[in-house]
Amino acid sequence: MEQLATNMCFGGEHRRYRHRSDVLYCDMEFAVFLPPVALGSGARQVPVLYWLSGLTCTDQNFMQKAGAQKLAAELGMAIVCPDTSPRGLDLPGEDDSYDFGSGAGFYLNATREPWSRHYRMYDYVVTELPSLLERELPVTDQRGVSGHSMGGHGALICALKNPGRYRSVSAFAPIANPSECPWGQKAFSGYLGGDREQWAEWDATLLIPGAKERLPLLVDQGTSDQFLEEQLAPDALADACEKAHHPIELRMHRGYDHSYFFIASFIDDHLRHHGRALGLV
């Protein structure tokens, strides 16, 4: 881990790192916020919220715009923000569009060439990055996972596919049923091919019926989100949860859009949701 930057923030530290990923076969950058109790002479290990960002984002968007550090510092919670895809691989078409390739890894493991060697963001965020951080930084293996849009999709599937690995899960405006929306269909076709049975392995709405753990879902959605009708499908997720008796709190917020203004408005609710599950509240 090469430390790229450090900023003091609410008595804690925001840090950026670069490391060589053995899963993605490239260098990756990520950000970490460490609360005050994880620093200094009396430092102790703290639980972690993994935040997965949306299309076009890097590790920096959430850390700079969401306003999460103040409450995280008070709770004693670390926050980890990975990037959203591998970068700079010179794969054909990787930089041609905002919703596929660079900045659009979709938190799955690609099976189709030329993406299958590098685009394995699921293995990266679920296994490789936590293992690295739990070895190198003062963080425990008590984890929550959250995210926005594509990252909300990522948070949901990471929790649903890994019973016992996360203590809590939440999402802002997730791509909840990607098999049935343009963003998801483009990504799944490109990374996985045309077999819709493979797609179902990466679709939260389709994973809910067979989930082996009924971890409560907190989902926030703005009613003025420009992507709500065509891309996000929170009602499909809620319907699947109702049929499977999977606990979900879907909160619709009048007038809010898809931006970080929306996330900043409700991030404290999510931090407390995770804090309760992680024993911090």
Side-chain angles (χ1 to χ4, degrees):
M1 287 168 52
E2 174 191 0
Q3 192 164 329
L4 303 176
T6 304
N7 305 96
M8 288 293 296
C9 187
F10 295 105
E13 290 186 2
H14 165 259
R15 302 176 182 178
R16 296 192 69 239
Y17 289 96
R18 178 187 296 124
H19 78 114
R20 183 71 180 180
S21 169
D22 294 332
V23 168
L24 306 179
Y25 293 97
C26 67
D27 289 343
M28 293 292 290
E29 296 180 359
F30 62 90
V32 179
F33 173 73
L34 293 174
V37 295
L39 304 171
S41 58
R44 60 178 174 83
Q45 292 183 315
V46 295
V48 186
L49 175 63
Y50 287 86
W51 174 270
L52 307 183
S53 293
L55 291 167
T56 76
C57 290
T58 69
D59 64 281
Q60 299 185 68
N61 297 74
F62 178 83
M63 289 298 197
Q64 294 180 7
K65 297 179 179 180
Q69 292 94 336
K70 185 176 189 294
L71 183 55
E74 295 172 5
L75 293 173
M77 177 190 296
I79 302 175
V80 172
C81 294
D83 203 346
T84 52
S85 77
R87 304 276 179 175
L89 300 173
D90 294 324
L91 298 177
E94 71 176 346
D95 297 320
D96 288 355
S97 59
Y98 78 95
D99 54 356
F100 186 82
S102 295
F106 265 82
Y107 304 102
L108 50 72
N109 288 338
T111 57
R112 189 181 181 198
E113 296 293 340
W115 311 99
S116 57
R117 175 173 170 81
H118 299 284
Y119 275 66
R120 304 184 63 82
M121 288 297 294
Y122 173 79
D123 282 351
Y124 178 70
V125 300
V126 170
T127 304
E128 185 181 31
L129 186 59
S131 295
L132 174 67
L133 300 186
E134 289 161 19
R135 186 171 66 247
E136 300 291 339
L137 294 178
V139 300
T140 72
D141 62 359
Q142 300 301 296
R143 316 174 192 94
V145 62
S146 186
H148 172 230
S149 194
M150 177 185 73
H153 143 78
L156 293 173
I157 64 168
C158 286
L160 289 167
K161 290 167 71 70
N162 293 278
R165 187 161 184 82
Y166 301 95
R167 298 287 296 274
S168 53
V169 57
S170 71
F172 286 83
I175 305 172
N177 191 190
S179 297
E180 301 300 333
C181 77
W183 277 342
Q185 291 168 351
K186 179 176 180 178
F188 287 2
S189 296
Y191 294 134
L192 304 172
D195 184 354
R196 292 183 70 94
E197 289 188 9
Q198 287 192 46
W199 294 13
E201 298 176 20
W202 308 102
D203 187 315
T205 295
L206 301 181
L207 289 171
I208 286 290
K212 292 182 171 57
E213 180 183 40
R214 297 298 176 191
L215 205 60
L217 309 183
L218 172 62
V219 178
D220 277 349
Q221 175 64 60
T223 63
S224 295
D225 190 319
Q226 64 269 40
F227 304 113
L228 175 57
E229 295 302 321
E230 186 177 26
Q231 304 285 6
L232 303 179
D235 289 343
L237 177 66
D239 289 346
C241 287
E242 182 178 0
K243 291 174 182 175
H245 304 290
H246 192 116
I248 184 172
E249 183 178 4
L250 173 60
R251 309 192 308 181
M252 302 298 295
H253 299 280
R254 184 177 300 278
Y256 284 88
D257 59 20
H258 200 70
S259 72
Y260 269 85
F261 294 107
F262 167 52
I263 295 171
S265 297
F266 300 102
I267 189 62
D268 283 3
D269 291 349
H270 286 245
L271 292 177
R272 291 189 180 97
H273 167 80
H274 293 282
R276 284 190 291 272
L278 294 167
L280 301 175
V281 176

